[in-house]
Amino acid sequence: MTFTRSIKIAPSILSADFANFGQEIQAIENQGADWVHVDVMDGHFVPNLTFGPPAVKAFRPHVKTVMDVHLMISPVDAYIDAYADAGADILTAHLEAGPHIHRTLQAIRGAGMKAGVALNPGTPAEAVTHLLELTDLICVMTVNPGFGGQKFIDMTAKIRALRAMIGDRPVHIEIDGGVTPDTAPLVAAAGADVLVAGSAVFKGGSVADPAPYGANIRAIRDAAQGAQAAA
């Protein structure tokens, strides 16, 4: 993974057809997805239950780009090796999920993955001040985690603070929640470069008719790139 600040679109397969994950992953990549975002939820840290390591391992052969695995689980550390074995390229843990995020990020890198830290809407940017040297990605939640299709919460001030804090470090700022062609320019202008989108990518399309996926991805990318260039 070569680091760049170019806009990357990471469709969340939480919005895909659950009976056709392999084909859905291939379809979004063929239609221009840069990364594939996998939302792991445990029904404990967040009020929903999704994929465990065996499912992520089953997705892996279909992902030709980057498999970006977002753990909305607590505890995290006991499962790091399982997600490494499943083939995650990036593993993101929530700062709020346990008392020892520093140790967690070390363990993720130690298992051979890029390390991400996610911040809920109520967690300030300053919470990661002492984690930047251990972090490859900061995921700013623009919804309260747990469900797809929620309304966007404006976190542009937090994103700007993070971007200033990061400076020239090779750390991505990822946005997760409510990303559409309308909200993408706000976060891109503030400094985000990875945009997770679920329903906004998958709406109107299917494995049999994937062209709408491409149109949706291009609409989000174009809106974000225009704002990034103007910032």
Side-chain angles (χ1 to χ4, degrees):
M1 289 171 56
T2 302
F3 180 85
T4 74
R5 295 202 188 282
S6 63
I7 295 296
K8 290 161 284 294
I9 309 301
S12 169
I13 60 170
L14 193 62
S15 295
D17 176 359
F18 277 32
N20 285 292
F21 276 124
Q23 290 175 291
E24 289 275 51
I25 289 166
Q26 292 168 24
I28 56 174
E29 290 191 332
N30 289 340
Q31 292 294 325
D34 300 288
W35 295 4
V36 173
H37 189 82
V38 182
D39 286 307
V40 174
M41 306 183 190
D42 64 358
H44 165 69
F45 181 68
V46 293
N48 200 358
L49 190 63
T50 59
F51 316 115
V56 175
K57 193 167 191 171
F59 303 154
R60 178 71 259 186
H62 302 282
V63 178
K64 307 304 180 197
T65 56
V66 172
M67 188 158 69
D68 173 31
V69 178
H70 177 191
L71 300 183
M72 287 170 269
I73 69 173
S74 179
V76 172
D77 293 13
Y79 299 97
I80 290 170
D81 287 344
Y83 285 101
D85 179 66
D89 294 304
I90 304 168
L91 195 67
T92 296
H94 270 259
L95 183 141
E96 307 87 3
H100 305 298
I101 188 65
H102 191 282
R103 178 190 297 160
T104 298
L105 295 171
Q106 285 181 316
I108 291 170
R109 282 189 169 177
M113 297 171 287
K114 297 288 189 183
V117 59
L119 303 178
N120 282 337
T123 301
E126 293 72 28
V128 299
T129 302
H130 302 293
L131 300 173
L132 294 176
E133 304 307 327
L134 284 171
T135 303
D136 301 292
L137 176 148
I138 300 171
C139 176
V140 177
M141 296 302 299
T142 43
V143 296
N144 286 295
F147 293 98
Q150 296 186 70
K151 185 171 169 32
F152 177 82
I153 301 171
D154 187 351
M155 289 283 131
T156 49
K158 184 190 293 189
I159 298 163
R160 290 185 195 282
L162 288 168
R163 185 68 196 85
M165 197 186 300
I166 288 166
D168 60 2
R169 294 177 179 88
V171 179
H172 296 290
I173 297 179
E174 178 176 79
I175 305 304
D176 189 351
V179 171
T180 68
D182 294 325
T183 58
L186 302 175
V187 297
D193 62 286
V194 183
L195 307 185
V196 176
S199 51
V201 166
F202 285 95
K203 68 179 182 183
S206 66
V207 165
D209 179 25
Y213 297 167
N216 294 337
I217 289 169
R218 285 190 297 275
I220 296 168
R221 189 191 309 280
D222 290 349
Q225 285 178 336
Q228 187 184 59

